[in-house]
Amino acid sequence: MRPIVTEANHGTGSDLADSAQSPSYPKSTYDVLRSAQLIPLPEPRRTPLPFEAELVISEQSAQLLRIYQTGIGTWMDILDHSLTYQRQVVRCALSSGLLLYSICALSAKQMSLVGEQSLWEPVAARYYGESLTLLIQGLNQPQTSHGIVLTATIVLCSYELLANPGPDYKRHLYGAHTLIQTRGVVAQGTALERASFWVYARQDVALAIINESTTLISPQEWRAALPDLGAEEDAMGNKMLWLLARVIELRFTPTENMWPETRSQGFRDVSTELDQWWDDLPSLARGVPIGESTHDELNEVLFYVPSAAAGVLYYHMARILCLEYSVKSSVVNAAENSVNNQYHKSTLQDELRSHGQSIASICFSRGLPDGVLPVAVNPLFYGKSNPQRHSRGFNMLTEPAARYISSLPLKARIWAFLDNIEAKLGYYTRSRVTQLQRELQPELTTANE
């Protein structure tokens, strides 16, 4: 798809696509929020700002809004049945230059990754720069809607994560993290702000796993958002996300910051809550098996709503993390009773393989919506290139779910599946693919001998 270059409300199309002639823009949301003076304020009475009134939507902006609604918007709303980011956010963008340009920047960036980069990249860069300028104005205007500013910041953070994936993720999340905590969004935010918090929370969790660290906002601070969730599949998925964040905290908190007894009790407590979550989940929401198992022991699974698939993927990942802790503990305590310990360890390994197979079954089921695919990346593979390279956190083995699958052809399918996600959606998976290739190389060498 090629960009439409007629830009009715912002100069000419050639101006928009010519990044060489672009004015000087702020570098990132990190720079904007670092320089902003934020204080907790009530949501202001709404009066349109000069840069928000009477927007003229150009053909190019409309094109990018449509791309967003059918693409990244579905990722944003995977655990939101109200479809806030596809409906309310787009509606607000029609009267907010800040939000409109932020969405256009994100859509154009995605198109530069999956389409014709030379055509889309200058468009993305220009919209991104304009958005940062408008974000500065919004932060300096007391009457600016906090919800609009937070939503635009999260959209721009998503742009930055697409553009520059890697270990510097905390800079990309800094803006949204700062606004959420300064404005007290978790405890008293508007509906739009609450929806934005859960989008942020998924990014926080995903990047914490990839980088083997705790979430930037402690899961203890999420509690205020839990009572209003309800029992729909999206609400159950968000609750599971919170439980997963707690598992991550137990897993990656440095050893010097947590007593061993506290960690052990924490894993026991959260394991009990994981059991309760699974028991409370309606049986049909766990996925309905279709037909017989395939030759690689996968069962195709049907989910009647995408949010259920996302929640169940998070559940299996949380279970694997807890089971790994149990395996490590059984190794530490092996001298106490070697026979019983070996039996217990064998049982744990069987459970790990079962959860790995369940994740693969969901991911390879036909008709899995694109909005679920970014959620699937970490459950399939969340280890880094050298999981025992440091002593930070409880130093257990960090295994990709793929390693709990014995079939070499199935591992190769997972490799291709992750590779295809980046090619299709622009969602960065290259580091996982590279690591999986490294993991598979000895097995491939042995198989070819």
Side-chain angles (χ1 to χ4, degrees), residues 153 199 335 391 416:
T153 302
V199 173
S391 59

Side-chain angles (χ1 to χ4, degrees), residues 369-390:
D370 286 352
V372 180
L373 296 181
V375 174
V377 171
N378 274 330
L380 273 176
F381 195 110
Y382 58 86
K384 297 194 69 164
S385 58
N386 188 2
Q388 299 184 74
R389 70 191 184 282
H390 55 65

Side-chain angles (χ1 to χ4, degrees), residues 69-144:
Q69 273 191 308
T70 58
I72 291 180
T74 67
W75 310 357
M76 302 290 204
D77 286 333
I78 192 62
L79 292 178
D80 182 2
H81 287 180
S82 297
L83 304 182
T84 302
Y85 267 66
Q86 294 170 74
R87 294 175 179 172
Q88 184 179 353
V89 169
V90 172
R91 183 172 67 247
C92 292
L94 299 180
S95 60
S96 167
L98 169 59
L99 204 47
L100 174 65
Y101 278 26
S102 298
I103 291 173
C104 288
L106 179 58
S107 293
K109 170 53 68 175
Q110 183 192 27
M111 293 306 298
S112 75
L113 295 171
V114 302
E116 299 181 67
Q117 182 179 20
S118 61
L119 295 177
W120 283 108
E121 184 59 38
V123 177
R126 182 58 180 267
Y127 275 119
Y128 176 63
E130 293 283 2
S131 300
L132 292 176
T133 299
L134 292 175
L135 180 59
I136 292 174
Q137 295 179 29
L139 289 168
N140 291 327
Q141 292 280 353
Q143 69 269 38
T144 305

Side-chain angles (χ1 to χ4, degrees), residues 197-210:
F197 165 73
W198 287 111
V199 173
Y200 165 85
R202 290 204 309 278
Q203 294 176 330
D204 198 0
V205 163
L207 291 164
I209 293 170
I210 292 168

